Amino acid sequence: MAVDPGMVDTILGTFRGMARELKEAGNDSDDARECFSALETMERLALEMDDLGAYSTKLSVDGLFTDFSTAYGRALASNSSVDGDSSDDQLMANTLKSYEDALNDLKSKPSAAHLVPVLQEVVDKGKSGLSYPLFLKECEEKGLFLGLDSPRVGPTIQYDIYCARISFRPVDRELYERQLEAYQDLVNRSAFGYPDPVEWEITRQKLEWEYEPRQILWKAIEDRWDRMLDMVQDWVDSFCSFAPHDERWCGMGGVNSRAQTMKNIQRTQECEPGMLQVREEIFQEYFDLSWNDIFIHPTFLNQQENGLLWYSDQAIDFIREVHEIMHPGARPDSDMISRAEKQHNSKAYVRQDRATAEAMTPMPFPEFLNTIEWA
């Protein structure tokens, strides 16, 4: 999976334009070829990587921005069509045009609004009448070039927090909140208000490595108790009159469809209790959690309290009751089967206050930018 093409266009748009100018001018100097090579590397990395922050940091750490700009300046200076006495003026004009083109491109993309301010400062500095050497000196001393290279990820981290919050992912939300805190700390420690890209990348990766085991554990526990709940519900339902018509057991069709369906039902009735016991033993061994621990575990409570759980509270109570008698060779009594049929027919097993897809769908990032302070 590649980095988002729209964001790659934002980052590389200026460099593509500068490279295009060299080609159109017929500049085939070694310096021009160095520009093309640096741009090709940046394009290749965009296809190989999938994280925007890591990609931007990689370009900065490997010095690709600097390599391209330095070679570009030499390529223009060596161009025979540029008079030696006016090379600085030409460099200033070309550089300013490239920055202005990039700025206009950013302004046309709402999702890049948070990237505009620092580039606007560079353009304003270029229009102030400074010579090219003084322009470079001023931008360097005021940290503007650092600002261009620095990852402007504050708003994107806030967006990650927002997405984790509305989708009820507490571990992810905690990770992103830690990232935002660490990022802001780097901003505050920077003389120019722009974190060093290398330091930020190291900080980001350390936090992700710290939280990855917790994220994996959370998902693993969630997946396993979810399956165990289904197994109990399937077992009691397999004794109901609707079972031969339920898609959980229906055969694939043909002359043997009915026979296959009944065989599937029999397998659930006879094998599910034993398979559940094996799963419970593994659950206990791997996670030190018993069946009863499921219902007080944070993964379960998070789903129950936020409407993510498929089963209603009534259905959960019934599942726990069925579990007490679900053993190999056992069979639910007629009252329990009757209650299972009634629950199925009324669809009382489905949680009525489930979170909707609409409520859990995040607003677009450009719209989110209007709700936070990021300048």
Side-chain angles (χ1 to χ4, degrees), residues 157-285:
I157 300 175
Q158 292 183 66
Y159 187 67
D160 287 337
I161 294 173
Y162 156 70
C163 291
R165 176 174 56 80
I166 67 170
S167 57
F168 309 107
R169 293 178 285 122
V171 179
D172 290 353
R173 180 177 177 178
E174 183 181 327
L175 164 62
Y176 298 138
E177 287 174 345
R178 288 276 306 279
Q179 284 186 343
L180 183 61
E181 181 181 351
Y183 176 79
Q184 195 58 52
D185 181 59
L186 293 178
V187 170
N188 294 337
R189 284 161 43 195
S190 170
F192 304 109
Y194 304 116
D196 179 86
V198 177
E199 190 173 7
W200 163 244
E201 180 64 11
I202 293 173
T203 301
R204 181 185 68 82
Q205 288 193 15
K206 285 177 65 177
L207 285 171
E208 289 182 352
W209 293 340
E210 176 185 338
Y211 275 83
E212 185 178 26
R214 287 181 56 190
Q215 292 170 316
I216 294 173
L217 179 63
W218 182 281
K219 185 68 166 59
I221 292 174
E222 217 172 33
D223 288 346
R224 282 154 182 79
W225 62 247
D226 183 66
R227 177 62 187 128
M228 287 194 286
L229 295 182
D230 286 344
M231 292 175 74
V232 177
Q233 186 66 59
D234 289 349
W235 182 72
V236 69
D237 283 352
S238 70
F239 292 93
C240 296
S241 59
F242 61 79
H245 311 289
D246 193 289
E247 62 181 8
R248 285 173 286 180
W249 298 286
C250 283
M252 298 300 291
V255 294
N256 295 320
S257 178
R258 174 69 178 181
Q260 183 61 52
T261 296
M262 300 312 295
K263 184 177 180 180
N264 293 341
I265 291 173
Q266 182 182 9
R267 181 173 59 248
T268 297
Q269 293 175 350
E270 295 178 356
C271 300
E272 209 78 344
M275 290 191 292
L276 178 63
Q277 285 186 359
V278 172
R279 281 183 174 269
E280 287 186 52
E281 291 171 2
I282 295 174
F283 194 63
Q284 179 74 54
E285 180 181 353

Side-chain angles (χ1 to χ4, degrees), residues 2 7 9 71 104 159 179 214 245 247 249 286 302 323 346:
M7 297 308 297
D9 291 343
N104 291 332
Y159 187 67
Q179 284 186 343
R214 287 181 56 190
H245 311 289
E247 62 181 8
W249 298 286
Y286 279 25
N302 178 63
H323 178 267
S346 65

Side-chain angles (χ1 to χ4, degrees), residues 27-48:
N27 192 325
D28 60 353
S29 64
D30 290 341
D31 294 314
R33 285 194 289 272
E34 187 176 339
C35 283
F36 303 148
S37 176
L39 180 58
E40 287 175 3
T41 301
M42 290 190 276
E43 298 279 13
R44 174 176 55 78
L45 289 172
L47 296 175
E48 295 175 353

